[in-house]
Amino acid sequence: MTATDTYRLLRAFCDELARCGLQHACTAPGSRCAPIVLSLVRQPRIHSWSHLDERCAGFFALGAAKCSGRPVAVTCTSGTAAANLAPAVIEAAHARVPLIVLTADRPPELREVGAGQTIDQVKLYGDAVKWFFEVGVDTATPETLRWIRTLACRAYWTAADGPPGPVHLNFPLREPLILDESLPGDDTGRDGDRPYVTFDAPVEEVPSGGRHPFGRIVIVAGAERDRFAGRELAGFAARAGIPLLADPLSGARHGSAVIARYDVLLRDPQFAGAHRPEFVIRTGDLPTSKPLRAWLAGLDTAQIAIDPDGIWHDPAAVVGMRVHATTRALLDSLTGAEVIPSAPEWLAGWRAADDAAGAALARSLGDELSEPLVAQSLGEWLDAGTTLYVASSMPIRDVELFLPAREDGPRVLSNRGANGIDGTVSSAFGAAAAGAGPVVLLIGDVALAHDVGGLLAARRLGLPLTIVLLNNDGGGIFHFLPVAGESDAFEQHVATPHGLDFSHAAALYGCAFERPRTPGELRGAVERTTHGDATTIIEVRTDRVENLALHRRAAEAALAAIHEPLM
Ligand SMILES: Cc1ncc(C[n+]2csc(CCOP(=O)(O)OP(=O)(O)O)c2C)c(N)n1
Ligand SMILES: [Mg+2]
């Protein structure tokens, strides 16, 4: 077995990934992984994005795959490098994002004998991956070349097929790791650039039989990976007069039936009680909103969950029917069918409350820069060609409550599989790399500090990103939780103020930095930078305690307003 064997096999493997449709790969440096890295880089149809830090590489790949809906490969060297991909692999598993992880490893004779940079990489990510495969150390023959082509196809289609998710191939690589001769040609691929193995997903059956929902229906739409299904769902709800409680991640916050302020409406026991539906149809992942989750948990009505992969998301154990289908298939089955919403008052009651709450929320925010005002304003300013990548913690919650319904609003993405604050900067850059159009990242200061190394993508990879940083010097979310009362340790160990001056981070990583003081200045900065070619951090300074008080005032105002039309 020579370096030529290694490189011939890896060239066939990468060629096959490209034939299947792989467009992006992330590399991280090392000696052992050099054959994989070089083979990816030399495959002209794959855009290889170089990273220093494997954790960033993993999350960048995740963002690119989430944005494009296609598998993205990520490779790294042996040892703890591979372990640094674990957070992104776990997020990909939970969020159903297709990743192809290619780790380099020592060959068998160098394992468990004290060789450097060697850890046990077999099944390193446990159950988080859909498929693990230990690749052998082979010579390149027509048979092994054909086999490795099928291996690439299997990796690609396994990652892509429902539910999408990460796969892990561990490649033992024997020295020499660098070629000293040119590679002979390879004619083991199929003619016409076809993949060695094509893959047909099962033809989607439109669910049939059973009773169609009727009467007082609500639709709860959560994060959806089909980026156009949400709009169709919104159109259907509007035609059928069904209130549509749409998380921004569903892509369905449009149309005359959308109820955007469910998070605050359902905090009101009177409203929640008076608006109990007879049927709930749930599509996508469960939204973040606690009041919505609690309301769904307390309903004794029929709840139907639609999921393209048949995944059981139901922490409260209240779903009584599962439909294994995509949202579009559901819509096909319902269109033209007897969907009989109750009297028009059903939607009208929700509509009036939602409008009243929305107006009250907006009024209570006034025109001073604040965290919720930024979330609301980005929803108003960004256009449909823009992607708003939202970090976990308060940004995703503020977007859920304050992002207005709009026909031509931005696409909203977030890492909500495992709700981590890690890797968010890298994921947003990954989305930008995968052609998301202009990307705006809305992120808190702790999350930015956590993935500050992700900023390197701005200069090294030449990717533009507008980062709207909500800097409240710590984890503002914890002020909303009972732990805020533990005054001996709260500030230092839970809120974790850091006093970082992010203008220095911007300077270190070659990003522009702005600190607007008014909504007008913020708007100017966002509009200038989203169509530019540089990365800018736009910092909005806020105060955690004031932020809590503002949220409380806004919710009180909204709840007071919804009682006016009811009275
Ligand atoms: C990787 C990871 N570590 C810790 C947490 C717990 N956590 C949730 S929110 C949060 C604070 C986030 O602070 P920041 O990004 O500033 O947002 P803010 O709460 O101020 O809106 C932390 C540490 C997490 N979700 N993920
Ligand atoms: Mg913060």
Side-chain angles (χ1 to χ4, degrees):
M1 214 221 96
T2 63
T4 304
D5 289 312
T6 304
Y7 277 84
R8 286 183 70 193
L9 286 163
L10 285 170
R11 182 183 58 184
F13 182 85
C14 296
D15 174 52
E16 207 55 50
L17 288 178
R19 288 167 180 245
C20 288
L22 190 95
Q23 294 177 331
H24 298 280
C26 293
T27 68
S31 161
R32 190 63 46 173
C33 63
I36 307 177
V37 170
L38 295 177
S39 301
L40 284 167
V41 169
R42 290 172 184 163
Q43 168 45 248
R45 283 170 297 181
I46 297 176
H47 196 139
S48 288
W49 301 93
S50 157
H51 296 268
L52 272 62
D53 175 328
E54 291 78 13
R55 194 171 67 167
C56 295
F59 276 106
F60 186 101
L62 178 103
K66 182 187 275 282
C67 168
S68 64
R70 287 172 180 231
V72 172
V74 52
T75 189
C76 70
T77 200
S78 61
T80 53
N84 272 286
L85 294 178
V89 169
I90 292 167
E91 172 62 21
H94 285 264
R96 300 186 238 177
V97 179
L99 283 190
I100 302 174
V101 178
L102 310 171
T103 51
D105 201 349
R106 306 271 150 166
E109 66 274 15
L110 291 180
R111 296 188 190 171
E112 301 188 31
V113 291
Q117 215 174 307
T118 311
I119 65 168
D120 183 0
Q121 294 179 197
V122 173
K123 302 203 172 177
L124 181 61
Y125 311 111
D127 284 347
V129 291
K130 293 176 68 183
W131 182 50
F132 168 81
F133 192 77
E134 172 74 10
V135 184
V137 191
D138 286 299
T139 50
T141 64
E143 291 75 26
T144 55
L145 286 164
R146 280 208 309 275
W147 163 77
I148 207 155
R149 287 183 178 279
T150 64
L151 188 72
C153 294
R154 185 166 175 191
Y156 188 92
W157 300 123
T158 303
D161 186 36
V167 297
H168 174 202
L169 281 73
N170 192 47
F171 284 81
L173 295 162
R174 198 171 273 155
E175 291 181 18
L177 298 166
I178 294 301
L179 270 179
D180 57 6
E181 59 182 7
S182 55
L183 284 183
D186 176 6
D187 59 2
T188 56
R190 301 261 187 223
D191 291 342
D193 240 4
R194 282 178 298 136
Y196 207 86
V197 186
T198 58
F199 182 82
D200 271 337
V203 176
E204 187 153 312
E205 294 279 331
V206 173
S208 61
R211 223 157 35 112
H212 278 305
F214 61 92
R216 298 200 312 272
I217 307 169
V218 298
I219 301 175
V220 175
E224 169 75 64
R225 67 170 180 267
D226 175 349
R227 55 176 303 204
F228 302 107
R231 190 167 285 279
E232 289 184 25
L233 184 63
F236 166 78
R239 287 192 299 281
I242 300 174
L244 171 64
L245 282 50
D247 183 336
L249 298 172
S250 68
R253 225 173 234 208
H254 311 285
S256 58
V258 78
I259 305 299
R261 315 299 181 180
Y262 55 82
D263 180 77
V264 72
L265 297 180
L266 296 173
R267 290 181 211 182
D268 183 76
Q270 198 184 332
F271 178 89
H275 290 79
R276 296 170 81 84
E278 290 163 300
F279 269 103
V280 178
I281 300 174
R282 287 157 60 158
T283 68
D285 296 340
L286 211 48
T288 298
S289 164
K290 259 194 189 165
L292 174 64
R293 287 177 174 228
W295 183 69
L296 290 172
L299 294 176
D300 53 8
T301 45
Q303 298 200 35
I304 306 172
I306 321 296
D307 190 280
D309 312 311
I311 290 216
W312 290 47
H313 277 179
D314 181 23
V318 288
V319 168
M321 183 179 177
R322 298 206 158 267
V323 179
H324 188 157
T326 61
T327 304
R328 283 183 198 237
L330 166 82
L331 293 175
D332 287 346
S333 81
L334 292 180
T335 302
E338 291 279 293
V339 181
I340 315 164
S342 66
E345 297 88 79
W346 173 238
L347 175 58
W350 282 91
R351 178 73 290 127
D354 192 51
D355 292 344
L361 287 176
R363 266 196 312 277
S364 64
L365 297 186
D367 55 9
E368 258 182 47
L369 273 184
S370 65
E371 297 181 29
L373 186 73
V374 172
Q376 176 183 287
S377 304
L378 291 177
E380 288 166 356
W381 299 336
L382 302 181
D383 60 27
T386 303
T387 296
L388 177 62
Y389 217 107
V390 187
S392 284
S393 203
M394 287 312 286
I396 191 69
R397 287 172 173 79
D398 282 347
V399 162
E400 189 174 13
L401 177 56
F402 293 96
L403 193 97
R406 239 184 85 193
E407 290 319 297
D408 51 357
R411 180 183 187 193
V412 184
L413 296 177
S414 181
N415 293 349
R416 294 300 288 166
N419 301 358
I421 55 161
D422 44 349
T424 319
V425 175
S426 301
S427 297
F429 273 117
V439 180
V440 175
L441 169 64
L442 180 65
I443 189 168
D445 48 289
V446 177
L448 179 56
H450 209 289
D451 193 26
V452 73
L455 292 174
L456 201 51
R459 198 170 50 191
R460 275 197 85 235
L461 304 180
L463 288 168
L465 181 67
T466 295
I467 300 175
V468 178
L469 164 64
L470 298 170
N471 186 359
N472 54 23
D473 195 19
I477 192 168
F478 297 120
H479 289 260
F480 292 76
L481 302 177
V483 70
E486 306 294 320
S487 52
D488 56 330
F490 176 75
E491 201 49 22
Q492 177 64 12
H493 291 278
V494 183
T496 60
H498 42 72
L500 289 172
D501 179 343
F502 285 96
S503 68
H504 297 312
L508 178 63
Y509 289 101
C511 306
F513 184 84
E514 300 200 26
R515 192 178 288 146
R517 309 274 171 192
T518 63
E521 285 177 14
L522 174 64
R523 183 173 194 163
V526 168
E527 286 178 353
R528 253 194 331 279
T529 57
T530 41
H531 294 285
D533 52 11
T535 289
T536 307
I537 299 177
I538 304 174
E539 181 186 64
V540 175
R541 296 296 281 266
T542 60
D543 178 278
R544 286 180 269 125
V545 175
E546 282 171 21
N547 183 48
L548 173 69
L550 176 62
H551 276 82
R552 291 210 168 129
R553 281 200 307 278
E556 275 163 24
L559 292 174
I562 64 171
H563 285 293
E564 285 158 23
L566 289 182
M567 279 191 290

